[in-house]
Amino acid sequence: DAGNYALQNTSATAQAKITAKALTAAVTAGDKTYDGNNTASVTGSSGDIIGTDKVSIGAGAATFNDKNVARDGNGTVIGKTVTATGLSLSGDDAGNYALQNTSATAQAKILAKNAKITGMATNVIYNGTSQTQSAAVLAGFIDSDVSGGSVLATGLASGRNGGTYTSNLAVSGSDAGNYNVTINNADLIINKACLLYTSPSPRDAHE
């Protein structure tokens, strides 16, 4: 029956909603070298972003569960949990999405920091008491670990009698496991003391 009607318009308007698309955010975390704190860096992403829409996912904060290097039973460094909080959306198309989560987790490694302990070659004169070589030089360690006593150099050479004593340096302390340490030992040399003999004068010998 369409022929019985005369269409008076070829366009019309109405109201409807475009509902924001649900977006679940994920993060990937980057490995870092031990630096004495638990801060982490993350990159946000989501499979819910359509095509070339300009949407970025940022985090207010990201942290490892603690500051330390994690290792398995064989001593191999392994990943640990990173938690990102305060997730938010930005970008030209961010308003078209509804963020479903404000936190996410990922796995990343804290890698051991390279450091070195160098023994100090020490020369002393025998004095009848036990003597110890000069303190070793620590390089590459986090200052607060050294000053706070969580990293210590042990194994300085010591001895009482004349001779050569070689150090057996090692690292100890609660943060020792956060480092890959190169050890350079050195010697303590205790030199023989000179015995000074003064002969009596001829006059003293006859009195």
Side-chain angles (χ1 to χ4, degrees):
D1 293 318
N4 295 321
Y5 296 89
L7 181 64
Q8 301 301 297
N9 60 307
T10 57
S11 65
T13 62
Q15 292 290 311
K17 297 177 181 178
I18 298 176
T19 303
K21 188 177 190 299
L23 184 153
T24 299
V27 294
T28 55
D31 296 343
K32 75 168 188 175
T33 299
Y34 173 75
D35 59 5
N37 64 66
N38 69 336
T39 58
S41 60
V42 296
T43 301
S45 63
S46 177
D48 296 323
I49 299 173
I50 297 171
T52 58
D53 276 3
K54 296 178 179 178
V55 180
S56 297
I57 300 170
T63 55
F64 286 91
N65 53 4
D66 61 42
K67 69 171 186 173
N68 298 313
V69 176
R71 301 177 187 270
D72 63 16
N74 297 317
T76 302
V77 175
I78 58 175
K80 55 196 305 176
T81 300
V82 172
T83 301
T85 57
L87 298 180
S88 62
L89 303 180
S90 62
D92 293 345
D93 297 312
N96 295 322
Y97 294 87
L99 183 63
Q100 303 299 295
N101 57 307
T102 57
S103 65
T105 60
Q107 292 285 308
K109 297 175 182 178
I110 297 179
L111 305 172
K113 190 177 190 299
N114 291 329
K116 181 184 293 185
I117 298 177
T118 302
M120 297 296 291
T122 306
N123 280 271
V124 296
I125 304 297
Y126 171 78
N127 65 4
T129 66
S130 180
Q131 300 186 75
T132 302
Q133 73 183 137
S134 300
V137 175
L138 280 67
F141 294 91
I142 301 297
D143 289 343
S144 58
D145 287 352
V146 176
S147 62
S150 59
V151 167
L152 302 168
T154 62
L156 293 174
S158 63
R160 180 180 183 278
N161 299 316
T164 299
Y165 303 85
T166 301
S167 63
N168 185 26
L169 295 172
V171 62
S172 65
S174 59
D175 283 317
N178 293 319
Y179 295 91
N180 288 324
V181 183
T182 299
I183 302 291
N184 294 317
N185 285 296
D187 293 337
L188 164 68
I189 299 175
I190 300 179
N191 298 287
K192 294 180 179 179
C194 294
L195 180 63
L196 180 63
Y197 172 75
T198 303
S199 61
S201 67
R203 177 179 178 181
D204 291 338
H206 288 86
E207 288 181 354

